[in-house]
Amino acid sequence: MRQDFDGSYQVKPSDIDVYAAPKNSDASPRALYVHVPFCLHRCGYCDFTLVADRDDLVPAYLQALTNELDRLDGDYEVDTIFIGGGTPTHLSTDQLERLAEILFSRFTLNSGGEFSVEANPDGLSDDVMKTLSGIGVNRLSLGVQSFDAAVLKTLERQHTPAVAHEVVHRAIDAFDVVSLDLIFGVPGQTLDAWNATLAVAQQLPIRHVSTYGLTFEKGTDFYRRRQQGQINSTPDDLERDMYAAAISQFGHSGVPQYEISNFAQPGSECRHNMVYWQADEYFAFGPGAARYVNGVRSTNARNVSRWINCWLKGEVALQDMEQLSADAKIREAIFLGLRLVAGIDINGFLNRFGCDVGEIARDSAERHLEDGLLEVADSHLRLTSAGRFMADTVMADFL
Ligand code: SF4
């Protein structure tokens, strides 16, 4: 076990049982994440934990997931379930039903709970939607990414704008909330093209949108192609204009920004992701899944085959684990809380952590209050509109 500079402990996977019952049963995590690591094709920019075109592994994955959940000490009720990927809807309807059986063998979703599943428009049939509704899914997060054919081609997505459009309309009939994922800063994408995608999204009766600037992650095909000069990053000022356009246009159409990358009609914010931003604890299962239980953050093995093979033998498959010190918990809560447009409730923070949010990293807080990137309003510490464009820099000062 090694003590970090801030008092947190990087621990060996054998040091702590991350599947042990939460120490305080009254405060067990109220959120569950499950990772489904299957896609038809790996898009050139994607570095998520997944395998492409390996449907032969699905039965072993479902058995491994069963074994991982069996390792959990106790049964739990949660308020949110989020099945992410990969492409969860790449599973067949039978496999989706089996996945639900596995989850509901240990977890119960509170009545009125939020049950989200990520999906791609490609191949999202009525049968799949019916199956999802049947297992209780009430929120669909659709990886539309763009309504521009050229951008979708660059991103190596399998669907067309017309398919995305048609699927969104069917999904709206089937689920309480439909969310769209959109990407900007794609090589070759112009501001006009991004504005056109935003305009299409605004015309749709959707209640939630997530927008992400494209990043070039090491190990991806896009990263290699940029190194070789085949594609270029989007200039910073253009990316900034694209982000500003999303904030402005969704704000005007009644889907205001509530987090750095997220927009929602009031009341349709993603409750599951709010758990992350509020630095609350959550369960997680599946390859590469990250959990936060009993003050310990741990991540499962990211190699899908390794995770499956370990769990088929009943062996825990972790990548890393960190026991957070009291100081690290406080700093994380600030770092994550500043992602929210509403910011951090100053009194709530004091009650929870017993310290004044303004006193933590006092120099940084004062500097950014002075330079106009932070503000105190309505008893909250938050990024200003200008601060949201410098969020990474400001938030990093609190870690
Ligand atoms: S569909 Fe999504 S998860 Fe799958 S490879 Fe493409 S970007 Fe990654």
Short mmCIF file of all heavy atoms in Angstrom, two decimals, residues 38-39 41-43 45-48 50 85-87 120 145 157, ligand 1:
data_model
loop_
_atom_site.label_atom_id
_atom_site.label_comp_id
_atom_site.label_asym_id
_atom_site.label_seq_id
_atom_site.Cartn_x
_atom_site.Cartn_y
_atom_site.Cartn_z
N PHE A 38 -19.68 -4.25 -26.20
CA PHE A 38 -19.76 -4.80 -27.56
C PHE A 38 -20.20 -3.72 -28.55
O PHE A 38 -21.10 -2.93 -28.27
CB PHE A 38 -20.75 -5.97 -27.61
CG PHE A 38 -20.31 -7.12 -26.74
CD1 PHE A 38 -20.84 -7.28 -25.47
CD2 PHE A 38 -19.33 -8.00 -27.17
CE1 PHE A 38 -20.41 -8.31 -24.66
CE2 PHE A 38 -18.88 -9.03 -26.36
CZ PHE A 38 -19.42 -9.19 -25.09
N CYS A 39 -19.52 -3.70 -29.70
CA CYS A 39 -19.91 -2.84 -30.82
C CYS A 39 -19.70 -3.62 -32.11
O CYS A 39 -18.92 -4.58 -32.15
CB CYS A 39 -19.04 -1.58 -30.88
SG CYS A 39 -19.48 -0.36 -29.64
N HIS A 41 -18.38 -2.21 -34.76
CA HIS A 41 -17.16 -1.70 -35.37
C HIS A 41 -16.56 -0.71 -34.38
O HIS A 41 -17.31 -0.05 -33.66
CB HIS A 41 -17.55 -0.98 -36.67
CG HIS A 41 -16.59 0.03 -37.16
ND1 HIS A 41 -15.51 -0.31 -37.95
CD2 HIS A 41 -16.52 1.38 -36.99
CE1 HIS A 41 -14.83 0.79 -38.23
NE2 HIS A 41 -15.42 1.82 -37.67
N ARG A 42 -15.23 -0.62 -34.28
CA ARG A 42 -14.64 0.40 -33.40
C ARG A 42 -14.45 1.69 -34.21
O ARG A 42 -13.66 1.71 -35.17
CB ARG A 42 -13.30 -0.05 -32.81
CG ARG A 42 -12.73 1.01 -31.84
CD ARG A 42 -11.41 0.61 -31.24
NE ARG A 42 -11.50 -0.34 -30.16
CZ ARG A 42 -11.76 -0.02 -28.88
NH1 ARG A 42 -11.97 1.25 -28.54
NH2 ARG A 42 -11.83 -0.94 -27.96
N CYS A 43 -15.17 2.74 -33.85
CA CYS A 43 -15.03 4.02 -34.54
C CYS A 43 -13.61 4.55 -34.30
O CYS A 43 -13.04 4.34 -33.23
CB CYS A 43 -16.07 5.02 -34.04
SG CYS A 43 -17.75 4.38 -34.14
N TYR A 45 -12.22 7.21 -33.45
CA TYR A 45 -11.88 8.14 -32.36
C TYR A 45 -12.13 7.54 -30.99
O TYR A 45 -11.85 8.17 -29.97
CB TYR A 45 -12.71 9.43 -32.50
CG TYR A 45 -14.20 9.21 -32.40
CD1 TYR A 45 -14.87 9.37 -31.19
CD2 TYR A 45 -14.95 8.82 -33.51
CE1 TYR A 45 -16.22 9.15 -31.09
CE2 TYR A 45 -16.31 8.61 -33.42
CZ TYR A 45 -16.94 8.77 -32.21
OH TYR A 45 -18.30 8.55 -32.11
N CYS A 46 -12.63 6.29 -30.95
CA CYS A 46 -13.15 5.75 -29.69
C CYS A 46 -12.10 4.97 -28.92
O CYS A 46 -11.46 4.07 -29.47
CB CYS A 46 -14.33 4.83 -30.00
SG CYS A 46 -15.07 4.12 -28.52
N ASP A 47 -11.94 5.31 -27.64
CA ASP A 47 -11.00 4.55 -26.80
C ASP A 47 -11.73 3.90 -25.62
O ASP A 47 -11.13 3.59 -24.61
CB ASP A 47 -9.86 5.44 -26.31
CG ASP A 47 -10.29 6.35 -25.18
OD1 ASP A 47 -11.49 6.68 -25.09
OD2 ASP A 47 -9.42 6.75 -24.37
N PHE A 48 -13.04 3.69 -25.77
CA PHE A 48 -13.80 3.06 -24.68
C PHE A 48 -13.42 1.58 -24.56
O PHE A 48 -12.87 0.99 -25.49
CB PHE A 48 -15.31 3.17 -24.94
CG PHE A 48 -15.83 4.58 -24.89
CD1 PHE A 48 -17.06 4.88 -25.45
CD2 PHE A 48 -15.10 5.60 -24.31
CE1 PHE A 48 -17.56 6.18 -25.42
CE2 PHE A 48 -15.58 6.90 -24.26
CZ PHE A 48 -16.82 7.19 -24.83
N LEU A 50 -14.11 -1.86 -25.07
CA LEU A 50 -15.04 -2.64 -25.89
C LEU A 50 -14.28 -3.58 -26.82
O LEU A 50 -13.07 -3.46 -27.01
CB LEU A 50 -15.94 -1.71 -26.72
CG LEU A 50 -15.28 -0.76 -27.72
CD1 LEU A 50 -15.18 -1.40 -29.10
CD2 LEU A 50 -16.10 0.52 -27.84
N GLY A 85 -21.93 1.67 -22.71
CA GLY A 85 -21.03 0.81 -23.49
C GLY A 85 -19.90 1.60 -24.12
O GLY A 85 -19.60 2.71 -23.69
N GLY A 86 -19.34 1.02 -25.21
CA GLY A 86 -19.93 0.01 -26.07
C GLY A 86 -21.32 0.40 -26.58
O GLY A 86 -21.72 1.54 -26.52
N THR A 87 -21.99 -0.59 -27.09
CA THR A 87 -23.36 -0.40 -27.57
C THR A 87 -24.24 -1.46 -26.94
O THR A 87 -24.34 -2.58 -27.46
CB THR A 87 -23.42 -0.54 -29.13
OG1 THR A 87 -22.43 0.29 -29.72
CG2 THR A 87 -24.79 -0.17 -29.65
N ASN A 120 -27.30 2.99 -30.16
CA ASN A 120 -26.95 3.62 -31.43
C ASN A 120 -28.14 3.55 -32.36
O ASN A 120 -28.89 2.56 -32.33
CB ASN A 120 -25.76 2.89 -32.08
CG ASN A 120 -24.45 3.38 -31.50
OD1 ASN A 120 -24.38 4.48 -31.00
ND2 ASN A 120 -23.44 2.56 -31.56
N GLN A 145 -24.67 11.67 -32.65
CA GLN A 145 -23.39 12.36 -32.93
C GLN A 145 -23.50 13.51 -33.92
O GLN A 145 -22.87 14.53 -33.77
CB GLN A 145 -22.29 11.38 -33.39
CG GLN A 145 -22.16 10.11 -32.55
CD GLN A 145 -22.07 10.35 -31.05
OE1 GLN A 145 -21.93 11.47 -30.61
NE2 GLN A 145 -22.16 9.29 -30.26
N ARG A 157 -19.34 6.36 -38.32
CA ARG A 157 -20.59 5.86 -37.77
C ARG A 157 -21.36 5.11 -38.86
O ARG A 157 -21.23 5.42 -40.04
CB ARG A 157 -21.44 7.03 -37.23
CG ARG A 157 -20.70 7.87 -36.24
CD ARG A 157 -20.34 7.13 -34.99
NE ARG A 157 -21.52 6.68 -34.28
CZ ARG A 157 -21.55 6.47 -32.96
NH1 ARG A 157 -20.49 6.68 -32.22
NH2 ARG A 157 -22.65 6.04 -32.38
S1 SF4 B 1 -20.32 3.00 -31.47
FE1 SF4 B 1 -19.73 4.30 -29.70
S2 SF4 B 1 -18.81 2.92 -28.23
FE2 SF4 B 1 -18.90 1.81 -30.19
S3 SF4 B 1 -16.90 2.16 -31.13
FE3 SF4 B 1 -18.26 3.76 -31.91
S4 SF4 B 1 -18.01 5.51 -30.48
FE4 SF4 B 1 -17.14 3.68 -29.48
#
